[in-house]
């Protein structure tokens, strides 16, 4: 699952640096900036074109000839923007914006930059009537996670018949873990169908209540639509209007640009009407494809709600009912039960974060000897579940569900204290009745 990086939206080419680097390669002294007069820019373009002219590189090696062809194309791209009086100010403003806000997305060698450190909405995919096919990925996920629907149904029927059997409970819990892992990955496919690439669907250790997971996903969908569709279309329209975007998106906004090598600005009224049509189309497609995300979220929530009731968890110290702070220590099922990591939960807010262990070789015996002062639980790891967060978050979820009502109770206002006798005269003095 990939997308094409669009100049003016995902990155921008610094055409001044490109030409200046060519001048340095040819030992020319000329350099240009956005403030350079048109004559200076034209001279640098002329020198660069002469430097990489095919006739000059005819007897060079294959590598130099390929470099000359590539640079000749780059020079034409630079001239197209820097020599057009109506386009250059718009290009300069957009370049300055990238240099200020995202300097890491400014290309100085002519190559596009694809930044996948943050989620990206592939607007071209969202505007297309062809929905991204994720069936191959979904089949791969099911095979990789080991999830088998038939075996899951059989195991659930057996567990429903004998819920108190410890062996059956353990196997059923393990299969639920596999099912949850499957839906974790399937969720990525659902968002990819929506148009999102590299979406981060897990926050930093935050435990979302299982009974509100689908609600949180719906909130995320609405936020994404509000945040990304409007701005995404505007950014692409702005880039296409000055010719930065490439075909076929360029023709969508600026048909004149496909008929001639020079960039022509589109009529603003016509452009706004076209962009509004695209926004409406994107919102319609977004809503249709969001149903798949919602369906996966509902199924994932059902698994989590059941899994939280089956986690192996037990306390290791005396609890303070008034304190909302809890620690969960994940331990290995093998003796001597090494502590793998610690999760901290605030049952008042539902916020859970990964805690720091005192040392890497900490054991359960060490924890008991420390006489912990905070409410603490041990969670025994199920080695068949690859994600070690599943059981610890499930355990913290159980405690959170049990305790959150305690901390949601409104505090009763205290009655005002009766003034002491010795202060009565003073109160009457300052506040006479």
């Amino acid at each position: 699952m990939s997308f094409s990086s669009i100049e003016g939206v995902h990155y921008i080419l610094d055409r001044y640096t490109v030409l200046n680097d060519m001048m340095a390669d040819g030992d020319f002294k000329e350099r240009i900036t956005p403030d350079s007069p048109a004559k200076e820019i034209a001279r640098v373009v002329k020198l660069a074109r002469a430097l990489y002219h095919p006739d000059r590189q005819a007897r060079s090696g294959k590598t130099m000839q390929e470099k000359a062809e590539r640079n000749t194309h780059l020079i034409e791209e630079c001239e197209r923007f820097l020599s057009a009086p109506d386009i250059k100010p718009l290009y300069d403003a957009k370049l300055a914006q990238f240099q200020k806000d995202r300097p890491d997305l400014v290309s100085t060698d002519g190559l596009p930059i694809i930044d996948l450190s943050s989620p990206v909405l592939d607007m071209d995919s969202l505007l297309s009537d062809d929905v991204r096919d994720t069936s191959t990925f979904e089949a791969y996920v099911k095979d990789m996670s080991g999830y088998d629907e038939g075996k899951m149904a059989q195991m659930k029927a057996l567990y429903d018949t004998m819920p108190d059997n410890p062996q059956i409970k353990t196997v059923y819990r393990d299969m639920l873990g596999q099912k949850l892992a499957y839906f974790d990955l399937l969720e990525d496919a659902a968002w990819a169908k929506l148009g999102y690439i590299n979406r981060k669907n897990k926050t930093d250790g935050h435990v979302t209540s299982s009974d509100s997971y689908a609600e949180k996903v719906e909130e995320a969908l609405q936020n994404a639509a509000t945040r990304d569709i409007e701005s995404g279309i505007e950014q692409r329209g702005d880039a296409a209007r000055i010719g930065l975007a490439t075909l076929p998106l360029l023709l969508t906004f600026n048909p004149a640009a496909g008929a001639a090598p020079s960039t022509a600005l589109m009529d603003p009224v016509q452009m706004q009407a076209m962009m509004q049509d695209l926004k409406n189309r994107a919102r319609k497609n977004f809503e249709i494809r969001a149903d798949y995300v919602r369906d996966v979220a509902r199924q994932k929530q059902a698994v989590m709600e059941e899994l939280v009731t089956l986690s192996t968890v037990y306390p290791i110290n005396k609890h303070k009912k008034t304190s909302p702070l809890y620690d969960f220590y994940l331990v290995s099922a093998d003796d001597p039960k090494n502590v793998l990591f610690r999760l901290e939960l605030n049952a008042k807010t539902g916020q859970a974060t990964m805690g720091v262990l005192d040392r890497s070789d900490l054991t359960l015996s060490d924890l008991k000897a420390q006489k912990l002062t905070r409410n603490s639980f041990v969670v025994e790891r199920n080695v068949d579940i690859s994600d070690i967060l599943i059981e610890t978050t499930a355990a913290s979820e159980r405690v959170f569900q049990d305790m959150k009502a305690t901390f949601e109770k409104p505090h009763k206002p205290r009655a005002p204290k009766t003034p002491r006798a010795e202060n009565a005269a003073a109160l009457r003095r300052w506040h006479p009745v």
Side-chain angles (χ1 to χ4, degrees):
M1 299 177 186
S2 59
F3 77 105
S4 299
S5 190
I6 300 174
E7 187 180 2
V9 178
H10 304 118
Y11 78 101
I12 195 168
L13 172 61
D14 183 350
R15 290 163 170 77
Y16 297 99
T17 298
V18 167
L19 290 173
N20 288 336
D21 287 347
M22 291 181 183
M23 293 296 97
D25 288 342
D27 293 327
F28 295 115
K29 295 181 180 179
E30 285 79 356
R31 301 291 186 274
I32 56 173
T33 69
D35 297 326
S36 297
K39 288 185 178 180
E40 290 184 17
I41 294 175
R43 175 171 170 75
V44 166
V45 169
K46 183 178 180 180
L47 289 173
R49 185 177 285 116
L51 180 63
Y52 293 102
H53 195 278
D55 292 344
R56 183 169 183 173
Q57 303 295 338
R59 296 184 179 180
S60 302
K62 183 179 179 180
T63 301
M64 281 301 300
Q65 289 177 1
E66 290 177 350
K67 180 179 179 181
E69 291 176 3
R70 176 173 172 272
N71 283 352
T72 297
H73 173 72
L74 272 176
I75 293 165
E76 293 175 354
E77 279 294 299
C78 292
E79 182 182 24
R80 188 160 70 95
F81 287 89
L82 304 187
S83 299
D86 55 342
I87 295 298
K88 183 178 180 297
L90 301 176
Y91 166 77
D92 289 346
K94 187 162 287 292
L95 175 61
Q97 178 186 354
F98 269 87
Q99 289 172 330
K100 177 184 177 183
D101 299 335
R102 291 299 304 270
D104 56 314
L105 300 181
V106 178
S107 173
T108 58
D109 57 5
L111 297 177
I113 298 175
I114 298 178
D115 174 32
L116 290 180
S117 61
S118 57
V120 177
L121 175 58
D122 185 359
M123 190 62 71
D124 289 350
S125 172
L126 187 60
L127 289 171
S128 172
D129 292 332
D130 296 329
V131 181
R132 190 187 300 274
D133 183 13
T134 57
S135 57
T136 302
F137 175 75
E138 291 168 22
Y140 171 73
V141 165
K142 184 173 289 187
D143 181 65
M144 184 177 62
S145 65
Y147 173 57
D148 187 308
E149 292 180 356
K151 290 182 179 179
M152 184 74 233
Q154 293 174 0
M155 195 64 237
K156 177 170 176 53
L158 186 60
Y159 174 73
D160 289 342
T161 304
M162 294 181 286
D164 297 327
N165 185 297
Q167 288 79 16
I168 293 176
K169 180 179 179 180
T170 298
V171 174
Y172 182 56
R173 183 194 62 192
D174 294 349
M175 293 189 71
L176 277 175
Q178 290 179 341
K179 188 175 182 179
L180 182 58
Y182 166 65
F183 279 115
D184 274 338
L185 294 173
L186 193 60
E187 193 171 35
D188 292 338
W191 282 90
K193 277 193 174 183
L194 194 55
Y196 279 91
I197 307 297
N198 199 44
R199 180 179 176 270
K200 305 292 191 301
N201 61 343
K202 296 184 179 70
T203 54
D204 297 332
H206 185 271
V207 178
T208 301
S209 300
S210 60
D211 59 359
S212 62
Y213 186 77
E215 179 184 335
K216 293 293 183 183
V217 170
E218 181 62 34
E219 182 181 339
L221 284 169
Q222 297 306 320
N223 289 341
T226 303
R227 179 188 64 241
D228 297 332
I229 293 178
E230 186 87 12
S231 63
I233 296 293
E234 292 287 347
Q235 289 172 357
R236 284 158 177 76
D238 190 32
R241 181 172 180 253
I242 62 179
L244 286 172
T246 56
L247 297 175
L249 187 64
L250 174 60
L251 293 180
T252 301
F253 290 98
N254 193 353
S262 60
T263 301
L265 291 175
M266 176 179 281
D267 175 68
V269 176
Q270 181 185 3
M271 180 181 174
Q272 286 300 321
M274 292 177 66
M275 286 204 298
Q276 188 58 51
D277 288 342
L278 289 176
K279 289 175 185 177
N280 294 339
R281 184 176 183 179
R283 291 192 192 98
K284 179 181 178 181
N285 285 345
F286 186 97
E287 189 58 32
I288 293 173
R289 299 173 193 183
D291 283 339
Y292 182 43
V293 179
R294 295 183 181 104
D295 183 56
V296 173
R298 284 191 292 267
Q299 295 182 71
K300 183 177 177 180
Q301 175 172 316
V303 177
M304 288 194 294
E305 288 178 340
E306 191 164 12
L307 186 60
V308 295
T309 65
L310 300 173
S311 301
T312 303
V313 54
Y314 54 88
I316 56 174
N317 68 344
K318 188 176 180 180
H319 294 185
K320 297 179 179 178
K321 298 293 186 181
T322 57
S323 174
L325 303 178
Y326 295 82
D327 289 320
F328 296 84
Y329 294 92
L330 182 68
V331 301
S332 170
D334 301 328
D335 203 28
K337 293 194 176 179
N338 297 316
V339 178
L340 302 176
F341 82 14
R342 171 171 154 241
L343 190 75
E344 299 176 355
L345 169 72
N346 186 327
K348 190 172 185 178
T349 64
Q351 182 76 25
T353 55
M354 295 184 191
V356 179
L357 293 175
D358 296 337
R359 63 178 196 267
S360 59
D361 60 344
L362 193 67
T363 67
L364 179 56
S365 298
D366 296 329
L367 284 178
K368 293 179 178 179
Q370 285 181 12
K371 298 187 181 301
L372 302 170
T373 57
R374 286 172 42 134
N375 300 328
S376 301
F377 289 85
V378 166
V379 183
E380 291 189 355
R381 182 189 178 191
N382 178 354
V383 294
D384 293 327
I385 299 178
S386 58
D387 187 348
I388 62 176
L389 271 173
I390 288 179
E391 289 205 301
T392 44
T393 53
S396 66
E397 175 72 8
R398 287 175 61 184
V399 172
F400 177 59
Q401 295 294 350
D402 289 342
M403 300 302 297
K404 67 179 182 180
T406 300
F407 301 105
E408 287 175 353
K409 291 179 180 179
H411 297 287
K412 294 181 180 180
R414 294 181 178 179
K417 293 182 178 180
T418 304
R420 291 184 178 181
E422 57 265 28
N423 294 330
L427 287 173
R428 282 195 297 271
R429 219 173 26 246
W430 291 107
H431 303 283
V433 178

